[in-house]
Amino acid sequence: MTEMNPVTAYTDGDVDTNDTTQRSLESMAAERYSRRNAIFRGAGATTMAFMGTSLLAACGDDGQGGTIGGAVSVSAGSSVATSAGRVVTLTGTVSGNGQDAGWTQRTGPAVALSGGGATVSFIAPAVAAATDLIFQFSAKPLIGEAVTATTTVRVSPAVLGFSAVAHSLADVVVVPEGYSVTVMGRLGDPIVAGTAAYKNDGSDADFDKRIGDHGDALHFFGLSAANKPDRNISTRGLMVQNHENISEQYLHPNGPTPAPRPLAEAIKEIECHGVSVTEYIDNGSRKWSLVQGGALNRRITPNTPMAFSGPAAGSPFLVTAYGKDGKIGRGTINNCANGVTGWNTYLTCEENYAGYFRRDASDDAARTVAEIDSLRRNGITSRSGNNDWSTASATDDRITRWNATIKGATAADDFRYEPNQFGWVVEIDPYDPKSTPRKRTALGRFGHEGAFVRAVAGQKPAFYMGDDSRGEYLYKFVSAATWVEADADAADRLAIGDKYMDTGTLYVARFNADGTGTWMPLVYSPTFPKRAASGSYREYTFTSQADICVNTRFAADALGATPMDRPEWTAGNPATGEIYLTLTNSNNSFRPVTGTNAANPRSYNDPKGPSNASQTGNPNGHIVRLREDGDTTSATTFKWDIYLFGADATDANPTNVNISGLTTANDFSSPDGAWFSRASNPAGQINPLLWIETDDGALTDRTNCMLLAAIPGHVGDGGAYTVNNAGNTQNTFVGAKATAANLRRFLVGPSQCEITGIDSTPDGRTLFVGIQHPGESGSVTAPGSNWPDTQTNASAAKTVRPRSSIVAITRNDGGVIGL
C-alpha cells in the first residue's frame, strides 16, 4: 500500500471508542508477537511501517496465513502510519487462482473506499488521537471459502502537510511542491450563451453578461443534477463571487476618458461591479471549467433591482426618485467580504460605497445639520465622486443617481438619500436567478467587510461583522428566532432570511483592558444616549430604530465601542465556535502612539524599501479572536486575546513588534481575509485549519501578497503581555507564539495583487482562491502585471493586460488541501 507525502512522526495510542465485536489490534498483536514481529516490535507499535510500496505477507483470519489447500493465498501488505487528510492506497496481492478480490473495512472510523479489486484508496479521517483502522483483503478460490488477510492503518491527528512557500516577487501564483494551480473564471469571461469571448483590449462591453472586475470574497454552492442545492457534491457547483472595484485603466482601449465621461464607459465601469453567479464543473480529477450557458448563471450589478427589509425599510431615510416608498432600490456596489447562511443563501457586504457619490458645494446649505454630519460620518464628502460617473448623463437615472445633491422639492424627486441605500448586507439566493436580492437593514449600515454566520442547533443565529475603516468597530447581530434545522433545506430561502435576519438585536463590541469584552445593544428607546458632540461633529439625537440602522456608526460612537485597526473579515472556528477578526493595519496619522488600546496595542515604525521609508502605527496589522461566554451566540460578554501579530521577521523588534515570533517562512503583513476549512472534510474537523489572506502594502518590498495556513489554538493559550511603544506602555493579552508546526505560508500571488476570496469543495480536495487586481498600479502601455497569462507562459507578452481571476488549487495526489 502507498501514500503520498508520508508523515514522519506520529503519537502512539490505544483508542477504545469502537464497540465492534472484532478483536482489537492490540490483542491480535499480543497473540501474534511470538510468531511475527514484522508489524509490532519493542514497546507497542512504534515500528509500524510508514506508507511505502513494500508488501508483507499479511495474516489470514487464523493468524497464520491466507491459503486453502495451497491453491490461493492473499496479502494485504504492510501496516502503516499516516495522518488525517492524506490519501491512503491499499494494494492487495493474490497468488493462485483467486477471484472476486476486494477490500472491506473492519474497524475504525468509517471511510469511503474508491477504486475496486486489488487496489482501493481513501482519505484518512480526522481523529483526535492516533487511531487504528483495520482493513481486510479477500479473494475466493475456485472451490471453498474466501481467503482473507488484514492490514492496519494508524491515523494521527492532522498536521500541516506542505513545505512553506518562500517570499516571492514573481508575476505568478506560487504554491507548495506537490500542488497545482488552474486558472478558472477571469475578468470578462462570458457567462451567458452567445456572449463573445473577452478580447481584453478595452473594446469589450456587456458586463452584465460577463464576470466582473476585482473579484473578492467567494463561495462554492454544490449543485445537483436537478439544479438544486447539494451540500455534499464536490464536482459541480455555483461559484458566487463579489466584484469589489475596477482597474479602470485596463477596461478601455486607452484608459478612461476624462470628465465628462462617455455614457458607454460609465455603464461599463458600473456593471463591472457587483456579484457573479457562475456554474463550474469538474471534468474529472479536479479539472475545473466554467459552464458559459449555465441555467443559473447570473450577474448582479449596481443596476439590478433590490428590495429592502427590516427596520429601515419604508422609512424616509431610503426614499429616492426610484424608490419613492423607501422599500426598493437598485444594485449593490463595492462588495468585499461575504457570509453564507445555513439555508443556502449568500450574503454580500457593501463596503466603501461612499466614494462613488458626488455632492455639489451647494448641497450643505439645503441640508439639516444632522444630515450633513451623517453624510460626513459615513464618508460621503466627495465633490465629484469616484470615476466621475455622474458626469456621463444629465437625464439617465442610472447615472444621475450618483449625484446626491438636493435638487428637487422632496426626497422622492431626487437622489439626496441614494447614499443611504448602500452600506448594507445583501442576501442573494444563488439557486433562483429570478429572485430579487434583499438588503437586510436590521444588520446595520456601515463599511461592511463581511458577515460570518454562526447557526447552532438550539441557539439563535449570530452574524459577526467588521467595519473596514480605521477606528471603526466590530458588530454582532443576533436573530430573534432560534435556529431550526429543518430550515436548512427550505425551498423559499429568502423567506427563511426574513425569519432570521429582519428581527433581532444588533450589538457593538467593547474590548475591556482585562481581556473580557461586552456586546452593547444598539436598540432604540427614548433613553438611548445621544452621540456627543466631538471635533466638528454636533450632538446627534436618535429618533427610531430605523435611524440607528442607517446611522449605525453614530450609535456605536454613542455607546463607547472600542475603535479598532481596520476590522475586516470575521471567521468562526467550526469546532470551538471562537470568532476571529482580522485587523488589517492603522497608522499614526490616524491613531497616534498614545492612542493604543488593549485590543490594538502596537505603535511602531516598519521601514520599507531601500530608502527605509517610514511606516508608523500598526502597518502590519494583527488578528483578534474571542470566545463567547457560555459558548452561546446570544452571549453579551466574551473573552478575547490577540491570536497573531503581523510583522517583517527580517528586522522587526522581537519584543514589541514581532510578538508572535514569526520567521521568514510564516511572516505576513496586513491580514484581510480569514476562513476556516469546511467541517465536511478532515481539514475542518477537530482542530480545523485557518486560512489567512493578505492585502498588503507594507511588506511588498520583500514579497507579494500571500495566503497562509494555520492550526490555531484557543483563546487564553498565551497570556498577559506589555508592549513598549517608544516609551508608552500598553498592556494586552496575546496567544501562543507561532511555530513552523502551526503556521506556514501556503501561497504567494502575482505582482501588485491582493489575495481575496477563499473556499473549497465540500471534500476539501479543491481550494478556490481569488487573485484580485494584479498589476493595479500599471498602465495600458506598461501593465503592472501580465497575470494570469504568466501562470502558464512565463514569456507572455509584456503588454497583455492583467485580469482578476479565481484559481483552483489541488494536490497532485488528490489529498485534502493543506494536510
Side-chain angles (χ1 to χ4, degrees), residues 510-518 638-640 733:
R510 182 173 64 212
F511 290 80
N512 301 319
D514 62 357
T516 66
T518 303
F638 58 88
K639 295 181 177 61
W640 65 269
F733 295 86

Side-chain angles (χ1 to χ4, degrees), residues 599-626:
N600 304 269
R602 291 187 303 175
S603 183
Y604 57 96
N605 182 30
D606 178 20
K608 180 180 179 181
S611 64
N612 286 324
S614 179
Q615 300 179 113
T616 58
N618 180 21
N620 303 127
H622 59 288
I623 302 174
V624 167
R625 62 186 170 187
L626 61 90

Side-chain angles (χ1 to χ4, degrees), residues 200-286:
N200 196 26
D201 61 2
S203 66
D204 303 281
D206 300 325
F207 272 93
D208 58 338
K209 302 178 181 65
R210 301 181 183 275
I211 291 177
D213 204 355
H214 282 220
D216 207 293
L218 55 82
H219 187 78
F220 177 86
F221 288 87
L223 188 62
S224 73
N227 287 339
K228 300 296 183 183
D230 187 335
R231 294 184 179 87
N232 300 313
I233 194 167
S234 294
T235 56
R236 182 175 183 246
L238 296 174
M239 187 68 71
V240 186
Q241 185 182 34
N242 293 342
H243 299 291
E244 182 183 14
N245 209 328
I246 58 173
S247 293
E248 68 276 6
Q249 70 270 40
Y250 300 127
L251 291 177
H252 310 292
N254 298 297
T257 303
R261 300 294 309 282
L263 179 61
E265 285 190 6
I267 294 298
K268 178 191 292 191
E269 293 174 6
I270 290 168
E271 291 183 340
C272 274
H273 291 72
V275 178
S276 61
V277 181
T278 310
E279 180 183 340
Y280 284 88
I281 190 167
D282 174 3
N283 296 300
S285 300
R286 290 161 295 284

Side-chain angles (χ1 to χ4, degrees), residues 567-812:
E568 296 218 34
W569 286 48
T570 50
N573 186 320
T576 68
E578 293 179 337
I579 303 300
Y580 287 66
L581 170 67
T582 58
L583 297 159
T584 297
N585 54 50
S586 191
N587 57 56
N588 277 353
S589 63
F590 175 82
R591 175 174 63 71
V593 67
T594 55
T596 62
N597 58 59
N600 304 269
R602 291 187 303 175
S603 183
Y604 57 96
N605 182 30
D606 178 20
K608 180 180 179 181
S611 64
N612 286 324
S614 179
Q615 300 179 113
T616 58
N618 180 21
N620 303 127
H622 59 288
I623 302 174
V624 167
R625 62 186 170 187
L626 61 90
R627 187 159 193 162
E628 301 278 25
D629 287 344
D631 291 329
T632 60
T633 55
S634 56
T636 56
T637 54
F638 58 88
K639 295 181 177 61
W640 65 269
D641 66 9
I642 297 178
Y643 164 55
L644 283 176
F645 292 88
D648 180 351
T650 301
D651 57 16
N653 180 293
T655 302
N656 299 309
V657 180
N658 192 7
I659 298 169
S660 296
L662 305 180
T663 70
T664 55
N666 59 19
D667 61 351
F668 66 94
S669 176
S670 299
D672 186 341
W675 174 80
F676 277 92
S677 290
R678 291 194 183 210
S680 53
N681 67 77
Q685 298 165 2
I686 299 178
N687 199 3
L689 296 191
L690 170 64
W691 299 85
I692 303 165
E693 300 175 309
T694 68
D695 177 12
D696 181 33
L699 195 60
T700 48
D701 53 336
R702 299 196 191 279
T703 182
N704 298 335
C705 285
M706 65 186 69
L707 171 68
L708 303 100
I711 300 179
H714 55 84
V715 174
D717 60 13
Y721 197 88
T722 300
V723 183
N724 188 329
N725 297 310
N728 296 274
T729 59
Q730 176 65 65
N731 295 326
T732 188
F733 295 86
V734 304
K737 287 185 178 293
T739 68
N742 63 31
L743 180 67
R744 296 180 192 171
R745 187 178 301 107
F746 178 81
L747 173 153
V748 179
S751 301
Q752 299 178 16
C753 81
E754 172 186 350
I755 306 299
T756 53
I758 180 170
D759 193 20
S760 76
T761 49
D763 62 10
R765 299 169 77 181
T766 299
L767 186 72
F768 304 109
V769 177
I771 308 297
Q772 184 177 353
H773 62 62
E776 66 171 337
S777 299
S779 65
V780 169
T781 56
S785 165
N786 305 113
W787 191 87
D789 286 49
T790 50
Q791 190 67 37
T792 54
N793 180 12
S795 60
K798 300 304 182 184
T799 56
V800 173
R801 303 180 186 203
R803 300 162 71 180
S804 295
S805 306
I806 299 172
V807 294
I809 301 169
T810 54
R811 274 182 59 159
N812 297 343

Side-chain angles (χ1 to χ4, degrees), residues 360-516:
D360 296 341
S362 62
D363 191 50
D364 281 1
R367 301 268 186 179
T368 66
V369 167
E371 284 186 349
I372 294 171
D373 282 354
S374 172
L375 288 164
R376 291 175 52 230
R377 183 66 179 86
N378 288 285
I380 299 99
T381 58
S382 175
R383 291 306 182 201
S384 59
N386 295 353
N387 313 106
D388 289 305
W389 288 342
S390 66
T391 67
S393 175
T395 57
D396 189 327
D397 68 2
R398 296 174 300 172
I399 298 300
T400 58
R401 65 188 290 211
W402 301 107
N403 188 344
T405 303
I406 293 178
K407 295 182 175 181
T410 70
D413 299 315
D414 55 30
F415 292 99
R416 68 185 71 178
Y417 294 141
E418 186 75 5
N420 292 347
Q421 294 220 337
F422 295 91
W424 305 103
V425 172
V426 186
E427 185 177 19
I428 297 169
D429 182 351
Y431 296 99
D432 183 1
K434 296 182 180 179
S435 60
T436 299
R438 297 184 190 175
K439 299 199 174 190
R440 302 295 186 182
T441 66
L443 278 64
R445 173 176 166 264
F446 42 88
H448 277 282
E449 177 71 22
F452 170 74
V453 185
R454 186 177 178 216
V456 180
Q459 298 187 32
K460 298 174 179 180
F463 303 73
Y464 296 85
M465 304 169 287
D467 182 355
D468 183 11
S469 287
R470 294 183 178 96
E472 295 300 343
Y473 310 120
L474 172 66
Y475 297 87
K476 175 176 77 168
F477 175 79
V478 178
S479 176
T482 299
W483 174 240
V484 176
E485 292 286 351
D487 288 339
D489 298 311
D492 190 344
R493 288 169 285 274
L494 292 179
I496 300 300
D498 294 342
K499 174 181 176 180
Y500 291 111
M501 300 180 70
D502 285 348
T503 307
T505 303
L506 181 63
Y507 297 91
V508 67
R510 182 173 64 212
F511 290 80
N512 301 319
D514 62 357
T516 66

Side-chain angles (χ1 to χ4, degrees), residues 114-180:
S114 61
T119 301
V120 296
S121 62
F122 65 91
I123 299 292
V127 294
T131 302
D132 293 325
L133 285 66
I134 299 177
F135 297 88
Q136 177 177 286
F137 181 63
S138 65
K140 291 181 180 180
L142 296 176
I143 301 175
E145 297 296 323
V147 181
T148 63
T150 59
T151 193
T152 300
V153 178
R154 173 156 290 176
V155 180
S156 292
V159 296
L160 296 177
F162 60 92
S163 297
V165 171
H167 292 162
S168 172
L169 292 171
D171 193 23
V172 66
V173 174
V174 183
V175 294
E177 184 178 357
Y179 285 81
S180 296

